[in-house]
Amino acid sequence: MKEKVILAYSGGLDTTAIIPWLKENYDYEVVCCCIDVGQGNELDGLEERAKLSGASKLYIEHITDEFVDEYVLPCVKAGAVYENKYLLGTSMARPVIAKKLVEIARKEGASAICHGATGKGNDQVRFELGIKALAPDLKIIAPWRCNDTWKMQSREDEIAYCKAHGIDLPFDASHSYSRDRNLWHISHEGLELEDPANAPNYDHLLVLGVSPEKAPDQGEVISLTFKEGAPVALNGEEMKASEIIAKLNEIGGRNGIGIVDIVENRVVGMKSRGVYETPGGTILMEAHTQLEELILDRDTLAYKKGIGDKFADVVYEGKWFTPLREALQAFVESTQKYVTGEVKVKLYKGNIIKQGTTSPYSLYNESIASFTTGELYDHHDAEGFINLFGLSLKVRAMMMEAQKEK
């Protein structure tokens, strides 16, 4: 019997061309595996295409809820944002995809896993660190790094290669954006975005929504309910977190929310420019932040910011299956015990505007915070506090004055 290889299969031209290439260069039996993390109609027609291209089998694993509950929500709770802008849409999905590829490899008794990530990107790092952490014995094949056997450098080359192997596919050679989509977001790279001097062609580019200029002139108010840091209801209606994100994508998309144009630093050392659409995720993250600022004490909130930045770096770099990620997440979970309440926001032409936040665990005390303070706060107490708080400054200033007099 031939050895088996598990191919991470999207159904696109790249991974379709990889099927005959694997058979030709490795004599493997190719088992395709498509992991559904909410990419929508991109799954249509995959089985027929995979079989037509020479695969012996296709798995389609529907794991959107697992993706959201076990990978997305920990990042939301952590406030994990890479380089202040990127909400980690692709980064969060790669570890769960790697996990499922390993599970299918074990089920099929495969000896290798193949992915179609290029040698310039982050995804090769994320896929392979995940596989190494979960199945160090499995061989990893990355065609784009196989210079001796992978000769295709363009869509035209891949189409010609498929035709030469008797595979006639409904792809054309016209170039388009390079995209990655899941329930959380869609990313766009390529075309005019390759030059940071160019403005994005939003009329041509956007998939999940509209630009702020084309959003309605009337704002839309929504409410989100959280329990221990996780969203449990939208506009008072209880639903799964994945359903909330899907609804928020619709609402946020039509209001021009969550469009980010960023030049980011990739793991491999280069800068890349991309546009991300994350309408639902942007609303969810902002609402969670608004709730936390009402509930978490000053020291915890400040320390958690650094933890969130580190969590984002760890996820971006593909280090999900590490003791560090587990430890960071354990800290974050401990901070979420009382992050429960309701957040109202108005969505208006790309903006998220506060409309009020409530929580039974709010640390905001009107008796203290109001200008007409009551018994809990005595203005005179501030004088002694300032004297002690500024003592080191005063001592240093006195020393400097003394030195000038010498």
Side-chain angles (χ1 to χ4, degrees):
M1 294 178 63
K2 291 184 178 181
E3 289 187 81
K4 292 181 181 180
V5 60
I6 305 301
L7 172 62
Y9 187 64
S10 68
L13 182 55
D14 286 350
T15 53
T16 299
I18 287 173
I19 297 173
W21 178 85
L22 283 169
K23 297 177 70 175
E24 182 176 42
N25 290 280
Y26 292 88
D27 196 30
Y28 277 132
E29 177 185 342
V30 180
V31 177
C32 288
C33 185
C34 176
I35 312 299
D36 174 18
V37 285
Q39 52 265 51
N41 58 12
E42 292 181 11
L43 303 177
D44 295 347
L46 284 195
E47 184 166 6
E48 181 181 358
R49 188 176 305 160
K51 297 284 184 66
L52 177 66
S53 305
S56 65
K57 189 183 298 185
L58 170 69
Y59 285 87
I60 297 181
E61 299 290 295
H62 300 285
I63 60 163
T64 302
D65 285 333
E66 180 181 350
F67 167 53
V68 170
D69 295 341
E70 298 184 21
Y71 296 82
V72 172
L73 291 188
C75 291
V76 172
K77 292 176 181 179
V81 181
Y82 182 69
E83 295 188 339
N84 300 313
K85 289 186 177 181
Y86 174 42
L87 300 187
L88 300 171
T90 300
S91 312
M92 294 185 297
R94 294 326 189 203
V96 70
I97 292 173
K99 178 185 174 185
K100 292 302 172 182
L101 291 173
V102 168
E103 290 177 1
I104 298 300
R106 295 306 192 205
K107 181 177 179 179
E108 287 287 332
S111 57
I113 292 176
C114 178
H115 65 78
T118 73
K120 286 186 176 182
N122 295 315
D123 284 340
Q124 58 180 340
V125 178
R126 296 164 181 155
F127 282 136
E128 295 184 32
L129 290 191
I131 295 167
K132 289 176 186 295
L134 300 173
D137 57 301
L138 290 179
K139 181 179 180 180
I140 299 172
I141 301 172
W144 283 94
R145 302 201 304 257
C146 298
N147 296 332
D148 293 337
T149 53
W150 183 266
K151 304 297 184 182
M152 293 166 276
Q153 300 297 319
S154 66
R155 291 179 65 85
E156 290 87 350
D157 291 345
E158 291 174 325
I159 290 170
Y161 182 81
C162 287
K163 286 186 176 179
H165 288 76
I167 305 167
D168 192 16
L169 296 169
F171 298 117
D172 60 50
S174 63
H175 195 271
S176 63
Y177 296 104
S178 174
R179 290 184 165 112
D180 175 76
R181 182 175 183 175
N182 56 49
L183 183 66
W184 185 250
H185 89 152
I186 185 167
S187 64
H188 312 267
E189 294 178 347
L191 297 186
E192 79 277 0
L193 302 179
E194 292 188 344
D195 185 350
N198 293 332
N201 182 358
Y202 286 131
D203 289 339
H204 183 223
L205 180 150
L206 297 177
V207 173
L208 299 182
V210 299
S211 63
E213 294 90 341
K214 294 189 175 181
D217 293 331
Q218 183 70 33
E220 184 170 356
V221 177
I222 64 168
S223 69
L224 277 164
T225 306
F226 291 84
K227 182 178 181 181
E228 296 184 1
V232 294
L234 172 60
N235 293 329
E237 181 182 353
E238 293 186 5
M239 57 184 80
K240 296 188 299 184
S242 59
E243 294 171 335
I244 289 174
I245 293 171
K247 291 284 187 182
L248 287 176
N249 278 336
E250 296 176 18
I251 298 169
R254 64 176 174 249
N255 285 286
I257 305 294
I259 301 169
V260 171
D261 183 351
I262 182 175
V263 175
E264 69 194 66
N265 290 292
R266 286 182 178 174
V267 177
V268 294
M270 70 180 71
K271 288 185 181 290
S272 66
R273 194 267 189 102
V275 169
Y276 298 98
E277 293 181 76
T278 321
T282 301
I283 298 168
L284 193 60
M285 293 283 276
E286 175 60 23
H288 182 267
T289 298
Q290 290 184 20
L291 188 58
E292 278 194 329
E293 70 183 23
L294 198 67
I295 294 166
L296 297 187
D297 63 276
R298 182 189 184 197
D299 287 345
T300 301
L301 191 62
Y303 195 81
K304 183 176 178 291
K305 178 64 171 70
I307 295 294
D309 290 342
K310 185 60 181 178
F311 201 98
D313 288 345
V314 167
V315 176
Y316 187 85
E317 294 170 3
K319 298 176 181 176
W320 186 274
F321 301 108
T322 61
L324 177 56
R325 192 274 307 167
E326 293 174 1
L328 292 172
Q329 188 170 334
F331 168 83
V332 170
E333 287 294 337
S334 73
T335 69
Q336 300 299 293
K337 183 176 180 181
Y338 300 109
V339 182
T340 295
E342 183 183 56
V343 179
K344 293 181 180 179
V345 295
K346 179 188 287 186
L347 311 175
Y348 178 68
K349 291 188 177 294
N351 296 289
I352 302 174
I353 305 165
K354 282 187 180 182
Q355 298 294 291
T357 308
T358 58
S359 170
Y361 304 108
S362 172
L363 295 183
Y364 184 92
N365 189 305
E366 190 173 352
S367 178
I368 298 175
S370 171
F371 284 106
T372 57
T373 51
E375 297 178 356
L376 288 173
Y377 192 91
D378 188 335
H379 287 274
H380 298 294
D381 292 340
E383 182 177 355
F385 167 74
I386 295 169
N387 285 335
L388 294 177
F389 197 62
L391 183 60
S392 62
L393 297 175
K394 185 175 181 178
V395 170
R396 185 177 187 278
M398 292 168 62
M399 179 273 293
M400 295 298 289
E401 287 295 326
Q403 290 297 321
K404 287 179 183 179
E405 294 174 2
K406 288 183 178 180

